[in-house]
Amino acid sequence: MISTSNVTLRVGKKALFEDVNIKFTEGNCYGLIGANGAGKSTFLRILSGQLEPTNGEVIITPGERLSFLQQDHFKYDEYPVLDTVMMGNARLYEIMKEKEVLYAKEDFTDEDGIKASELEAEFAAMNGWEAESDAASLLNGLGIPTEMHYEIMKNLNGPEKVKVLLAQALFGNPDILLLDEPTNHLDLDAIAWLEEFLINFNNTVIVVSHDRYFLNKVCTQIADIDYGKIKLYAGNYDFWYESSQLLIRQMKEANKKKEEKIKELQEFISRFSANASKSKQATSRKRALEKIQLDDIQPSSRKYPYIDFRPNREIGNEVLTVDGLSKTIDGEKVLDNISFTLNHDDKVAFVGGNELAKTTLFQILAGEMEPDEGTYKWGITTSQAYFPLDSGSEFDNDYTIVEWLTQYSEIKDVTYVRGFLGRMLFSGDDGVKKVRVLSGGEKVRCLLSKMMISGANILILDEPTNHLDMESITALNNGMIKFPGVLLFSSRDHQIVQTTANRIMEIVPGGKLIDKITTYDEYLESDEMARKRQTYTVQEEDN
């Protein structure tokens, strides 16, 4: 168990947390939620001991081991992958290294023998003989193949390192597990594996995530940070959202009734306070009026953007024809003879772990890359807006936000442009901020403003939820559902894929395409799709 006693954290004069008293118990998975800047990651750092609170303390049951997801992707660059995972249990890894040193000694003494015996007993008690196989199992589950287990960490790419560090946090059955955005940079298969792992994990988990489907799947309780306090709610994220909205409605309704009663009493007092025959009744009603207190409804500090993609024109029957597209990058064939035709009501989600293939196809369709072979043709009534995976070059200039967005608008009026920025929560002096200094989330909101102002009837979105908070993801999800045009998108957010897409495409290893008109959940349950994915994997290995 882990708990806090009067934890307060002040940054300058501002209190991020004030006298937080909360208890996280065994057998529960807590989703830690709150608006951007509420202090979710900071609170996890306090719980993990990486950050000292201004006042108060964190209390952990004696003898329990705490593990947390490391955020430094370069910390273990000189270590083998398997060793990095086993470092998740520091004492076990220390014993392994001590044993190696002892057994390597040429002059092995009696004292060394006694020490080795003690280490072996502790090692066995910690299930050390299973350590390598357990670490390998975690890596394989997250999609790191066996041949990579003995690679040096610096040879891995970013998403692979994230998976290794996640395996490190999960390793050795920790009593308390702290996970800050564990689904970031994971493919949907790895996320599904992590969901099952946490569902079957019997100890204490506290997780920060912007993935609503993930929180719904794994959480038994929600810890909501708002106004410097943390309040616990039983149930998953959807249950918290619905119950919190219901509570506000009930409080407003109760206040409405109280306001009506106050008005009635005030009218009576006003009418009869000067009437001697009614003065006793007026006095009693005045006393009743004084006792009525309106509940102080404090609205959430959360702010939701308004995302509304409105096409300037309808799409005709001819949308997109792709014929035999192939592309090889750095010796890898990422697209192999890809062909498909889009219809005017298609919302296509590109899924699966082949991130490079999805991005390559989007870049080709957006006109930013040429295919090696094949052709594609957009219909004459179509107009496209593209949200790239890497948007760094978009903001490598000295424009202010207003200037940046104005260049993409047919209407150059500043008030008109600011209206689109306002929908994305840029207001007042925000408009004169330089785009090169914006945060990741702010840049994404700028790109979504650009897509809205374009009036395009076809949207191509490559992982648009990266860097967004929960409120912005919810707004984007709603905007995508309402969009009357055609969508081609990839997203690690299960809920966006499930609620938006009516057609699923997966580019499997080797560059072949699986194309299915179905929902995402139905696609995942399809034995045929699993069989095809396995077939393509085997073919790739044989080649």
Side-chain angles (χ1 to χ4, degrees):
M1 184 185 76
I2 183 170
S3 61
T4 65
S5 175
N6 298 318
V7 164
T8 297
L9 181 69
R10 294 189 178 277
V11 181
K13 295 182 179 179
K14 179 185 177 183
L16 196 57
F17 308 115
E18 190 91 54
D19 294 329
V20 172
N21 295 284
I22 194 167
K23 184 185 295 183
F24 301 100
T25 58
E26 182 181 6
N28 283 304
C29 179
Y30 298 86
L32 187 61
I33 65 171
N36 263 10
K40 302 181 291 294
S41 296
T42 302
F43 189 69
L44 282 192
R45 291 179 64 208
I46 290 174
L47 293 180
S48 67
Q50 299 174 84
L51 180 65
E52 285 291 325
T54 307
N55 293 305
E57 61 177 336
V58 175
I59 304 159
I60 298 176
T61 303
E64 291 196 345
R65 184 171 71 85
L66 181 146
S67 178
F68 60 90
L69 177 58
Q70 296 277 357
Q71 301 297 322
D72 185 352
H73 297 174
F74 305 100
K75 183 176 181 179
Y76 302 94
D77 269 3
E78 302 306 318
Y79 293 93
V81 167
L82 204 61
D83 279 35
T84 301
V85 174
M86 292 187 291
M87 286 179 187
N89 189 334
R91 178 54 187 159
L92 177 63
Y93 188 75
E94 182 184 355
I95 292 172
M96 293 171 67
K97 292 305 170 184
E98 286 187 47
K99 284 171 56 183
E100 287 180 11
V101 171
L102 274 177
Y103 291 137
K105 292 180 68 173
E106 294 182 2
D107 53 340
F108 193 82
T109 65
D110 290 343
E111 289 78 9
D112 291 332
I114 294 171
K115 179 63 175 176
S117 176
E118 293 172 348
L119 290 173
E120 290 291 3
E122 190 177 356
F123 186 70
M126 299 177 75
N127 204 30
W129 297 110
E130 307 295 327
E132 287 200 13
S133 61
D134 288 347
S137 178
L138 291 171
L139 289 168
N140 289 332
L142 287 166
I144 301 295
T146 303
E147 60 268 21
M148 293 180 65
H149 293 184
Y150 297 95
E151 284 278 351
I152 301 299
M153 282 286 286
K154 66 181 178 183
N155 295 335
L156 274 59
N157 62 32
E160 290 165 346
K161 285 183 178 181
V162 169
K163 291 181 177 181
V164 175
L165 294 179
L166 179 55
Q168 180 193 75
L170 304 179
F171 176 74
N173 195 37
D175 300 289
I176 301 160
L177 179 59
L178 309 180
L179 300 174
D180 191 359
E181 297 292 357
T183 62
N184 277 3
H185 307 294
L186 293 187
D187 55 77
L188 290 168
D189 290 337
I191 293 173
W193 180 90
L194 178 61
E195 288 168 354
E196 290 304 312
F197 181 94
L198 294 178
I199 287 169
N200 295 306
F201 188 74
N202 294 320
N203 298 332
T204 305
V205 182
I206 306 171
V207 57
V208 171
S209 176
H210 290 144
D211 188 329
R212 297 157 299 161
Y213 182 89
F214 177 77
L215 292 177
N216 282 329
K217 198 82 180 286
V218 305
C219 290
T220 58
Q221 296 199 45
I222 294 295
D224 180 30
I225 303 179
D226 213 355
Y227 296 104
K229 301 294 182 182
I230 304 180
K231 187 173 181 181
L232 287 179
Y233 295 82
N236 61 15
Y237 177 79
D238 277 353
F239 188 83
W240 163 81
Y241 181 78
E242 292 300 331
S243 61
S244 63
Q245 295 300 304
L246 176 62
L247 179 62
I248 290 174
R249 288 195 296 270
Q250 289 175 337
M251 291 175 70
K252 286 181 177 178
E253 185 62 30
N255 276 353
K256 184 178 179 181
K257 291 178 180 178
K258 289 180 182 180
E259 287 171 349
E260 290 172 355
K261 185 66 175 175
I262 288 171
K263 184 178 180 182
E264 176 188 333
L265 291 170
Q266 286 174 333
E267 288 177 351
F268 186 90
I269 292 167
S270 177
R271 285 176 60 197
F272 298 110
S273 57
N275 187 324
S277 64
K278 298 284 187 178
S279 62
K280 186 176 289 187
Q281 292 181 44
T283 300
S284 67
R285 279 166 172 72
K286 188 174 182 180
R287 290 186 186 133
L289 177 62
E290 291 170 350
K291 292 179 181 178
I292 296 177
Q293 298 292 328
L294 291 180
D295 293 320
D296 181 19
I297 299 178
Q298 192 172 28
S300 171
S301 62
R302 292 169 173 81
K303 293 182 179 180
Y304 288 82
Y306 179 66
I307 298 177
D308 187 19
F309 303 110
R310 295 186 182 181
N312 291 335
R313 65 183 298 185
E314 290 186 10
I315 302 177
N317 291 327
E318 294 184 5
V319 181
L320 172 66
T321 301
V322 174
D323 186 17
L325 284 187
S326 295
K327 185 69 178 180
T328 298
I329 297 178
D330 294 333
E332 177 186 354
K333 194 154 196 175
V334 294
L335 301 176
D336 185 9
N337 197 31
I338 297 292
S339 298
F340 61 88
T341 301
L342 287 188
N343 301 310
H344 68 274
D345 57 353
D346 279 343
K347 288 183 167 62
V348 185
F350 287 80
V351 303
N354 201 342
E355 304 290 336
L356 178 59
K358 289 182 278 189
T359 296
T360 300
L361 178 61
F362 289 163
Q363 288 178 321
I364 290 172
L365 296 180
E368 296 192 354
M369 181 184 290
E370 290 295 323
D372 296 335
E373 299 176 25
T375 61
Y376 66 94
K377 182 180 179 181
W378 291 105
I380 59 173
T381 62
T382 66
S383 56
Q384 301 83 40
Y386 175 46
F387 184 106
L389 181 64
D390 181 3
S391 60
S393 60
E394 285 263 15
F395 302 98
D396 187 18
N397 53 68
D398 289 321
Y399 285 137
T400 65
I401 296 178
V402 170
E403 291 169 342
W404 180 87
L405 187 58
T406 300
Q407 66 180 323
Y408 299 110
S409 174
E410 291 185 6
I411 301 173
K412 302 302 180 181
D413 179 68
V414 172
T415 302
Y416 176 78
V417 172
R418 279 186 176 272
F420 284 88
L421 292 171
R423 296 180 189 178
M424 298 308 298
L425 307 181
F426 293 109
S427 59
D429 293 339
D430 288 338
V432 297
K433 286 175 69 173
K434 299 289 188 180
V435 294
R436 68 165 68 250
V437 302
L438 297 178
S439 68
E442 288 173 326
K443 288 177 179 177
V444 171
R445 288 190 278 126
C446 278
L447 289 171
L448 292 173
S449 298
K450 173 187 171 183
M451 299 193 82
M452 284 193 287
I453 211 168
S454 73
N457 53 27
I458 300 206
L459 304 181
I460 305 173
L461 301 135
D462 195 355
E463 299 296 343
T465 63
N466 288 352
H467 306 293
L468 287 184
D469 57 22
M470 193 91 73
E471 292 71 41
S472 296
I473 291 172
T474 300
L476 174 60
N477 195 171
N478 292 336
M480 291 171 68
I481 291 171
K482 292 188 300 182
F483 180 57
V486 170
L487 284 174
L488 294 89
F489 70 97
S490 65
S491 175
R492 297 183 183 90
D493 189 298
H494 187 119
Q495 191 160 333
I496 282 183
V497 178
Q498 172 60 21
T499 58
T500 303
N502 56 22
R503 185 173 176 180
I504 303 295
M505 293 188 186
E506 179 176 359
I507 304 172
V508 297
K512 297 294 186 182
L513 179 71
I514 299 172
D515 183 1
K516 189 84 171 176
I517 298 176
T518 183
T519 67
Y520 182 54
D521 284 347
E522 290 170 344
Y523 180 79
L524 291 177
E525 293 169 2
S526 168
D527 290 336
E528 178 188 359
M529 294 305 106
R531 206 163 47 245
K532 283 184 178 180
R533 285 197 295 272
Q534 181 62 31
T535 299
Y536 284 122
T537 302
V538 171
Q539 288 176 349
E540 181 72 5
E541 290 173 353
D542 290 345
N543 292 336

